[in-house]
Amino acid sequence: MTLTPDAILALAPEAGSASNARKLATLGKWQHLNAPAGSLWGQCQGSGKDPYLTGVDLSGPVGKCSCPSRKFPCKHALALLLLHTTHPGEFGTAAPPESIQTWLDGRARRAEGKEQRPDQTQAELVTPSGPDAAGQAKRRAAREKKVTGGLDALRTFLHDLIRDGLAHAPSRPYSDWDTQAARLVDAQAPGAARLVRQIPAHLGDPSALLAHLARLHLLTEAWPRRDSLDDATQADLRAALGFPLDNAAVLEAGGVRANWRVMGQASVQEDHLSTRRTWLVSGDQTALLLDFAAGGRPFPPALPPAGTVQAEVCYAPAAFPQRALLSGEALSVPAGALPVPVTLDALLDRHGAALAANPWLERSAHQIGPLHLIPGEPWHVQDIGGQLPLGGSDRARQTILAISGGQPVTLYSEWDGVALLPLSLVHEGTLIPLRQAEDA
């Protein structure tokens, strides 16, 4: 399984380890980064004279480190996993030092021994860090128990918030939200923690605050009933809570090989983790690719903005398939046709249908137009059916206004239920990308 940064941080034994791992996930703090088959190793400079030697067995994942920490996994092992997820190209393939290799060999022998002794009982097969199916089931059950406890506490927190009245929510200290988010990180539910950290952004709008809290409440209600949900809805629930996507299984299931137009990109910075969203369109199919970068490091190379690539796109399980992975190489090909624009009313209908399938969907993307720009506080776009707020940076909005010359425009934009985020502009048949960056 390939872990995302959120999934890696969810492995942390407590919030402090996750925070420290983010700070250590920078190339400048590491020496001799390597990823031989099935493992990682590197040296991280600590406060002492000698760097800490850290290794990770990816079959667990399980870490080993020369640091004195008694936490498992330690912050160095978590940081090493984060670096490999965000910057795999910085890792060589050199064999690990003797101490790490001996540890890896011992784990491999124990795993092989279990495979060769089928007469062992279930209890004998279960070890805290073994790669066997029984061990994985035990770890999964342990995590689900933590998530259950975290969501129970979140339910109580939300009930108290509603009982006190939403009018009093803005007067709460920020520590209330931060403490609750930290508890959810400890409970290995980083997706729910992120939603809690977003609550202060909605305090000025009671209707938006209520809608946001409703999404959180739905998580607390759906989780105890997860076994009664269909597979796609279970996948959406786990994704919303921050469970890792099984990249290997997604790629193994295969996907859609076609020519995909790169319609737009946006990036968001949250603490020490950056996320880049890339939207692809082929016919009536839309795919969302996510890339991550930790510790202020750059993203992996991006697909050509406004270009067209021939690639196989594999969708993650979902009631409304959108998140996807690229399988193999993406080859640049001549530009393909642009999607047919829709009206604002059609956008809302499509987004509503997507929310009906996945109530935790954060955003969708659409080609919309023709639109008239209306500057102001806030800016709006308008068509024959109505108007919607236009977000994004001042530079992006001014660019749209300058290129369009005040004439109707066609935009490819994200819609999150609050405002449109313009990602690209169609001018005289040419797709022009707009640089967008958000603060979390």
Side-chain angles (χ1 to χ4, degrees), residues 297-314:
R297 304 302 300 179
F299 288 110
L303 293 176
T308 301
V309 296
Q310 185 181 80
E312 182 179 3
V313 170
C314 303

Side-chain angles (χ1 to χ4, degrees), residues 373 378-381 388-398 400 411 413-416 418-423 434-438:
L373 264 67
W379 285 51
H380 286 80
V381 292
L388 291 176
L390 182 67
S393 66
D394 284 337
R395 179 176 180 179
R397 293 189 297 246
Q398 295 291 350
I400 296 169
L411 301 175
S413 303
E414 293 180 346
W415 172 248
D416 62 359
V418 177
L420 291 165
L421 179 68
L423 304 182
L434 302 169
R435 295 184 179 275
Q436 289 289 0
E438 306 171 65

Side-chain angles (χ1 to χ4, degrees), residues 100-280:
I100 298 295
Q101 188 62 61
T102 300
W103 172 69
L104 291 170
D105 290 343
R107 284 181 51 78
R109 283 194 301 271
R110 290 191 294 273
E112 183 179 357
K114 291 166 192 168
E115 293 175 358
Q116 293 176 353
R117 289 184 289 163
D119 57 330
Q120 283 184 300
T121 65
Q122 175 89 351
E124 289 173 323
L125 285 173
V126 177
T127 61
S129 58
D132 55 276
Q136 292 176 0
K138 183 177 180 180
R139 288 191 294 274
R140 174 170 172 151
R143 177 172 185 175
E144 290 187 348
K145 183 178 180 180
K146 283 187 175 182
V147 171
T148 298
L151 292 180
D152 286 345
L154 175 61
R155 182 186 295 108
T156 301
F157 176 79
L158 294 174
H159 286 176
D160 290 345
L161 190 63
I162 295 297
R163 183 190 61 200
D164 292 344
L166 295 185
H168 296 286
S171 64
R172 284 177 173 252
Y174 185 81
S175 59
D176 279 11
W177 321 112
D178 196 43
T179 299
Q180 184 59 42
R183 289 172 179 167
L184 288 165
V185 170
D186 290 344
Q188 298 188 325
R194 184 169 60 86
L195 291 176
V196 170
R197 286 195 295 267
Q198 292 172 354
I199 291 176
H202 300 289
L203 293 177
D205 185 342
S207 61
L209 175 61
L210 185 60
H212 192 78
L213 295 178
R215 291 177 63 202
L216 277 166
H217 179 68
L218 189 58
L219 283 177
T220 68
E221 293 297 313
W223 178 251
R225 301 171 175 83
R226 60 190 180 279
D227 291 337
S228 66
L229 304 175
D230 59 70
D231 291 345
T233 305
Q234 283 193 42
D236 290 332
L237 173 61
R238 289 179 174 273
L241 288 171
F243 280 76
L245 177 65
D246 190 342
N247 289 12
V250 171
L251 296 174
E252 185 178 353
V256 179
R257 186 161 190 84
N259 290 347
W260 296 85
R261 194 71 187 262
V262 184
M263 294 301 300
Q265 295 175 337
S267 60
V268 59
Q269 174 74 37
E270 186 174 7
D271 294 330
H272 297 280
L273 180 66
S274 299
T275 303
R276 180 177 64 200
R277 303 187 295 269
T278 301
W279 294 92
L280 308 179

